[in-house]
Amino acid sequence: MPMMHTTRRQWLAFCSSILAGASLALLGCAGYQVGNHSLYRQDVQTVHVPVFQSDSFRPFLGERLTESVIKQIELRTPYKVVGSQAADSTLQGRVLGDTKAVLVENSYDEPRELEVGMRVQVTWINHRGQAIGPPQNFPIPAELIDITQSTNFVPEVGQSMVTQEQIVINRLASQIVSTMEMPW
């Protein structure tokens, strides 16, 4: 019988030490935030995303990229995409160029592997016209962010130019939305 009291006392001591440790850990982490709200600015709640301009000769690249960026903002950030009158900030972009290059040819000079790429410039400003976010370490003005993305495809296995363009557009949209995060 004395063995049970010792075991019970040990069990109570063990439980109380666990509870005390958890309490101290929670008190020590009082300044931390959890969730994606801690990654983004608290002074911005809404974003206006006008249709991205395009310097490309390929039709609808700007529209497709705008749609993908809006989806990424709604999916990954606490921001709500709204019209220009109700927005705290504006995310503007321009497709500066797109490329299609042959990487591998067969002996008859037919392309076997190609690369599709796009270059985009993005500006995120508040309603007063000031750049939002930390200064960027790019060789361009801080309010402009230059982003490039590319992917390879092989037409012989059923991959198409449109499919690969959409992959590049989705990757660009993800990179653009990542620039909206606060620095660590």
Side-chain angles (χ1 to χ4, degrees):
M1 196 69 154
M3 189 85 141
M4 289 184 85
H5 286 304
T6 312
T7 307
R8 189 173 190 190
R9 284 185 198 154
Q10 289 174 342
W11 176 252
L12 288 174
F14 175 73
C15 287
S16 63
S17 65
I18 294 285
L19 199 61
S23 298
L24 286 175
L26 287 175
L27 288 175
C29 299
Y32 294 110
Q33 297 178 356
V34 179
N36 71 348
H37 293 283
S38 64
L39 294 175
Y40 299 96
R41 301 177 62 88
Q42 299 299 314
D43 60 335
V44 176
Q45 278 78 38
T46 56
V47 180
H48 171 60
V49 184
V51 176
F52 281 34
Q53 301 297 311
S54 179
D55 295 340
S56 171
F57 292 111
R58 296 191 195 279
F60 307 114
L61 284 183
E63 290 85 349
R64 290 168 59 197
L65 181 57
T66 304
E67 179 183 3
S68 188
V69 166
I70 289 171
K71 286 178 182 177
Q72 286 288 317
I73 289 172
E74 292 283 343
L75 181 68
R76 293 178 37 201
T77 73
Y79 306 136
K80 181 74 181 149
V81 178
V82 296
S84 62
Q85 299 298 339
D88 295 338
S89 63
T90 302
L91 181 69
Q92 300 171 327
R94 175 178 288 278
V95 177
L96 299 175
D98 65 302
T99 59
K100 177 181 170 185
V102 176
L103 299 177
V104 178
E105 294 179 340
N106 67 9
S107 59
Y108 300 108
D109 289 334
E110 296 172 337
R112 292 298 176 233
E113 185 175 358
L114 296 98
E115 178 184 61
V116 176
M118 266 189 247
R119 194 167 136 237
V120 178
Q121 195 171 63
V122 179
T123 308
W124 189 25
I125 56 174
N126 62 17
H127 63 277
R128 292 183 299 264
Q130 299 167 331
I132 296 178
Q136 301 295 323
N137 295 324
F138 294 104
I140 53 177
E143 64 274 0
L144 298 176
I145 301 171
D146 199 19
I147 300 172
T148 305
Q149 188 61 249
S150 65
T151 187
N152 297 351
F153 72 101
V154 181
E156 288 179 334
V157 295
Q159 297 174 329
S160 72
M161 177 76 172
V162 175
T163 305
Q164 297 312 110
E165 275 181 351
Q166 194 61 44
I167 289 171
V168 169
I169 286 169
N170 292 340
R171 287 179 184 172
L172 279 171
S174 180
Q175 280 185 280
I176 290 167
V177 173
S178 292
T179 65
M180 299 173 82
E181 294 179 3
M182 294 282 288
W184 287 42

